[in-house]
């Protein structure tokens, strides 16, 4: 059974937090995070994960406060 994806929750923890930002950046830099859900990282649904998605993820975190 696959986990229910939350937009921005790239680690699958059930919440969007700073670890998701760091994990997405690691992925973009070519590192292989142990737990990474690319579908959740593609914040703007353009089919790729890049700095634009990181920016949108940070904005999502900022808007929660």
């Amino acid at each position: 059974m696959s986990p229910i994806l939350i937009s921005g929750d790239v680690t699958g923890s059930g919440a969007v937090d700073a670890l998701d930002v760091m994990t997405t950046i690691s992925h973009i830099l070519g590192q292989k995070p142990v737990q990474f859900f690319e579908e959740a990282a593609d914040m703007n649904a353009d089919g790729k994960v890049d700095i634009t998605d990181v920016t949108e993820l940070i904005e999502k975190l900022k808007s929660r406060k």
Side-chain angles (χ1 to χ4, degrees):
M1 177 189 288
S2 30
I4 296 172
L5 294 178
I6 298 170
S7 179
D9 179 22
V10 305
T11 61
S13 67
V16 178
D17 54 28
L19 182 58
D20 296 303
V21 175
M22 294 185 301
T23 303
T24 303
I25 292 170
S26 293
H27 172 78
I28 290 169
L29 293 175
Q31 299 170 4
K32 304 290 184 207
V34 175
Q35 185 91 343
F36 185 76
F37 294 100
E38 191 157 345
E39 301 85 6
D42 186 10
M43 298 290 293
N44 59 2
D46 66 353
K48 60 186 178 216
V49 178
D50 57 22
I51 195 65
T52 305
D53 298 301
V54 173
T55 303
E56 289 192 29
L57 179 52
I58 291 169
E59 289 300 318
K60 181 174 185 169
L61 284 172
K62 286 173 41 179
S63 70
R64 292 187 334 186
K65 298 182 181 214

